[in-house]
Amino acid sequence: MNDTLVTLVGHVATRIDFKETPTGPSARFRFAVTPRYFDRRTDTWSDAATSFFTVWARRTLALNLASSVSVGEPLVVHGRLRVRDDPPDGDGARWFSADIEAVAIGHDLNRGTAAFRRVVTTDTPLMTAQKAAVV
């Protein structure tokens, strides 16, 4: 598989949009990444232009994301980069957007603390049916 995996450090820019879909839970949000650099001329740190990405999470990651993250929080996002080329709109302008299909998301512990809570999993219907067949 020739995926482009990226790791981004930034802040949550929009609320988490969580939905139940026929293929399972899905969540998305906009993620702001602002690189900082040291300007030797002025002897100060400066911000470069902010880039915005749409981050997509599926299944368990979507559920945990929706209950753990809010706007403004610093995150580290790791996932597959997808660049979309949308067809020209009514004005003839072409739009490009960068999406990240998240594999892992976590709070940036350089900027604060977090209290991890393991999710308790329950038996799936398939496992319940197998257990009933054994009994």
Side-chain angles (χ1 to χ4, degrees):
M1 195 169 353
N2 293 325
D3 285 332
T4 303
L5 293 172
V6 296
T7 301
L8 304 171
V9 177
H11 290 85
V12 179
T14 62
R15 67 175 183 75
I16 308 301
D17 181 20
F18 178 82
K19 293 183 181 170
E20 286 286 347
T21 67
T23 58
S26 177
R28 71 176 176 171
F29 66 96
R30 296 286 285 166
F31 192 57
V33 178
T34 306
R36 290 186 57 93
Y37 65 95
F38 187 75
D39 187 344
R40 292 183 187 196
R41 286 184 294 115
T42 61
D43 204 30
T44 60
W45 285 94
S46 299
D47 290 340
T50 301
S51 297
F52 290 90
F53 300 86
T54 300
V55 177
W56 292 88
R58 311 274 189 237
R59 296 175 287 285
T60 303
L61 181 57
L63 288 167
N64 294 340
L65 175 71
S67 64
S68 302
V69 173
S70 353
V71 174
E73 294 183 348
L75 297 181
V76 178
V77 174
H78 180 74
R80 293 174 192 85
L81 175 64
R82 301 280 188 245
V83 177
R84 292 186 305 142
D85 178 5
D86 294 331
D89 60 11
D91 298 334
R94 266 175 94 173
W95 289 93
F96 294 91
S97 63
D99 293 357
I100 307 297
E101 293 177 18
V103 173
I105 299 173
H107 285 99
D108 183 356
L109 298 180
N110 277 319
R111 306 195 187 263
T113 62
F116 182 78
R117 290 182 310 277
R118 186 172 301 276
V119 175
V120 178
T121 58
T122 59
D123 287 341
T124 61
L126 178 62
M127 294 299 292
T128 305
Q130 288 175 344
K131 285 181 184 177
V134 173
V135 175

